[in-house]
Amino acid sequence: MENFQEMITQAAEMKEYELKKDRKQFESLPNYLKTGLNYSKKYEQLRLQHFAFQIFVSDCLKNEGNEQVAQQSYEEALAKYEEALAVFRWIDTATNQNLKDSDLRYNKYEPEEEHRASLDGHLSKLYLNICLCLTKLNRKEEAIAATEEVIRMEPDNAKAYYRKGQAYVQYINREETDVKEGLKWLERSYEISKDPQLLNEMQAIRRKVVEERHKAKKAFSFIINNGVKPSVEPTSAVKDNENLPV
């Protein structure tokens, strides 16, 4: 019976692998965009309504996400932000089974020109909040992708560069290259905002790097001399001084 169940599992995995090869474009998307497939039909009628009503509904979902962030429930908050985003970015499909890239159509709501700035501002907030949650959940690459969505719309958005930097330096498995890249984007944020707090934060990050190097060197020396790794408390991620949603 166990061998039969194992064969069934392997067959299902092989089928899923083959299907994924037929939807490479979809699989390459960050999850916050893939989620748009789940809400294609739910907000179909809403997208026909006046722009102000669409913003209102999306903003209500965003506020629900903010409440979850306040409780540090980042998975739940992320789900709300993704749903709010799906009002304006969604994926249509002609079938619900064995999806292929050829079955999918990617949509972006195109407002009238007078509403363009309002929509871009709203989407920027959603992407920044998505980034915040993904950083807290240690999903670095998706968090960075979310900030790049903002930077494409608003190249001088200081908070986008700040959150991009935080995605690197707060990554639990970060290496020195992550810290270096994170500092680069924090410096870019400072160039735009001139926020003196950023200077203090960057100094704190550099001190943290020195401490981590010292601990790693000490641990390695202990292993060489004793053959046993010492009990060392893991270093905490750098505190995000702007870890509130927008």
Side-chain angles (χ1 to χ4, degrees), residues 121-132:
H122 178 71
L123 293 178
S124 291
K125 291 177 181 179
L126 288 176
Y127 285 124
L128 289 174
N129 291 353
I130 286 170
C131 173
L132 170 64

Side-chain angles (χ1 to χ4, degrees), residues 7-195:
M7 290 173 60
I8 294 295
T9 301
Q10 290 177 349
E13 290 175 349
M14 289 177 62
K15 182 178 181 180
E16 181 63 17
Y17 174 76
E18 291 299 321
L19 289 173
K20 284 185 176 181
K21 291 198 299 185
D22 292 329
R23 54 173 189 260
K24 290 183 179 179
Q25 180 183 357
F26 178 78
E27 294 298 336
S28 69
L29 296 174
N31 281 334
Y32 61 79
L33 291 181
K34 288 181 183 178
T35 303
L37 182 61
N38 301 333
Y39 297 105
S40 173
K41 298 298 182 183
K42 182 174 181 177
Y43 294 112
E44 192 172 34
Q45 292 302 312
L46 174 64
R47 297 183 189 109
L48 301 176
Q49 303 300 314
H50 191 276
F51 173 74
F53 186 57
Q54 295 177 53
I55 283 284
F56 172 77
V57 172
S58 183
D59 203 48
C60 287
L61 291 166
K62 178 176 74 70
N63 290 337
E64 290 180 29
N66 292 353
E67 292 173 3
Q68 294 296 329
V69 168
Q71 299 174 37
Q72 298 185 1
S73 300
Y74 298 111
E75 288 279 8
E76 292 79 0
L78 179 61
K80 287 298 180 182
Y81 295 142
E82 289 176 341
E83 184 175 353
L85 178 64
V87 172
F88 298 105
R89 292 193 67 173
W90 71 98
I91 305 172
D92 286 326
T93 178
T95 178
N96 291 322
Q97 295 182 336
N98 301 335
L99 290 176
K100 300 178 181 179
D101 279 332
S102 58
D103 299 321
L104 303 173
R105 185 172 71 252
Y106 299 87
N107 302 280
K108 289 183 180 180
Y109 178 79
E110 292 296 335
E112 296 179 7
E113 196 57 37
E114 62 184 298
H115 300 311
R116 172 70 62 184
S118 178
L119 178 59
D120 286 352
H122 178 71
L123 293 178
S124 291
K125 291 177 181 179
L126 288 176
Y127 285 124
L128 289 174
N129 291 353
I130 286 170
C131 173
L132 170 64
C133 293
L134 290 170
T135 298
K136 295 296 184 182
L137 296 169
N138 202 40
R139 290 160 59 180
K140 181 183 74 171
E141 297 303 328
E142 288 179 277
I144 292 167
T147 65
E148 289 171 349
E149 297 274 6
V150 180
I151 292 168
R152 278 192 285 273
M153 291 186 292
E154 302 176 354
D156 292 326
N157 189 310
K159 188 178 284 287
Y161 294 106
Y162 176 82
R163 290 274 167 86
K164 187 173 184 178
Q166 287 293 330
Y168 281 102
V169 300
Q170 289 197 14
Y171 183 51
I172 291 176
N173 300 316
R174 68 184 182 275
E175 299 179 357
E176 286 196 32
T177 52
D178 291 308
V179 176
K180 182 178 179 180
E181 190 71 11
L183 285 169
K184 179 179 79 173
W185 296 114
L186 292 176
E187 287 168 359
R188 175 64 180 136
S189 179
Y190 174 73
E191 289 173 3
I192 298 170
S193 67
K194 302 302 180 185
D195 182 356

